[in-house]
Amino acid sequence: MSIISPSMSSKARILVLKRFLAGDEDLIAKVYGIFGIESAFVRKGVLPESPFFGIFEPFNMMELCFEEKNGIVIPLDVSDLEPLSYLSLESYQRYLWMSAVASFILKYAQFYDEKLFSTFTFYLKKRVTNVKAFYLRLFIDFMNALGIYNLNVFGEEERRLLHIIESSDEKYLSRLKIDELLYRKTLKALEERIQNSL
């Protein structure tokens, strides 16, 4: 259910998660903000003369003035742009990491929360060398923010790994080697916990 009247404009900090071409000139972007996850229709967004050209790139963060009509966000103006998309150009590994975080948000962020927004931007900006360890840490931080993280519901192996992930500093996590089978098993257990809680 929309929290914004169709006839009024509003302003919000948003993250761009994904974008698609809509015809030859327009864009549709999946964005996360006070409305949760919504589609933004950016008229003529791919044309160089558009004020929104290059703005609605994945991972960009901005202050957006918008209207919402029939569940679609219509951008009116943008300010305070933080072009995080440039970070993804640093390396293919960094692009893959940022894409994984954006996909995580699209899959699990069913509503807006200021703490979650800060958590997501923190992970988007992070230069990660050990994807497995930090992806599990993202799950833990997300679940803690929702109040659904409970170590005791997991099996012994997963519990031991998650305790290490949760209690270790970033330097240690960067060096932590995680068995692929255990990683997948733990990931599945976390996903099931979220799905059963939301």
Side-chain angles (χ1 to χ4, degrees), residues 172-183:
Y172 183 82
L173 288 181
S174 296
R175 302 192 310 266
L176 181 64
K177 294 195 182 306
I178 303 173
D179 174 76
E180 181 67 25
L181 193 60
L182 177 57
Y183 172 70

Side-chain angles (χ1 to χ4, degrees), residues 115-151:
K115 187 175 180 182
L116 285 180
F117 193 94
S118 297
T119 297
F120 295 148
T121 54
F122 170 80
Y123 279 97
L124 276 174
K125 293 177 183 180
K126 179 158 280 310
R127 185 182 283 108
V128 166
T129 55
N130 188 349
V131 170
K132 288 178 184 173
F134 281 92
Y135 196 58
L136 292 176
R137 182 72 159 259
L138 170 58
F139 267 91
I140 292 170
D141 288 349
F142 175 74
M143 293 168 73
N144 269 325
L146 295 182
I148 61 171
Y149 184 68
N150 180 358
L151 204 55

Side-chain angles (χ1 to χ4, degrees), residues 136 157-165 176 178 182 186:
L136 292 176
E157 278 188 314
E158 299 99 307
R159 196 162 60 238
R160 191 180 306 121
L161 174 58
L162 289 170
H163 176 69
I164 292 168
I165 297 286
L176 181 64
I178 303 173
L182 177 57
T186 305

Side-chain angles (χ1 to χ4, degrees), residues 37-103:
I37 304 284
E38 282 282 16
S39 295
F41 180 71
V42 188
R43 189 176 300 282
K44 300 190 176 182
V46 298
L47 299 182
E49 61 268 24
S50 166
F52 298 122
F53 180 72
I55 299 290
F56 284 85
E57 297 293 324
F59 323 128
N60 281 351
M61 182 166 59
M62 69 197 76
E63 196 80 28
L64 181 69
C65 181
F66 65 95
E67 288 180 348
E68 190 180 20
K69 296 180 181 176
N70 301 320
I72 302 290
V73 171
I74 311 294
L76 302 175
D77 193 22
V78 167
S79 60
D80 199 21
L81 173 68
E82 194 169 346
L84 301 183
S85 56
Y86 287 108
L87 297 178
S88 70
L89 302 177
E90 184 181 290
S91 67
Y92 185 56
Q93 183 182 21
R94 190 151 196 191
Y95 168 77
L96 288 178
W97 167 251
M98 294 177 78
S99 296
V101 174
S103 294

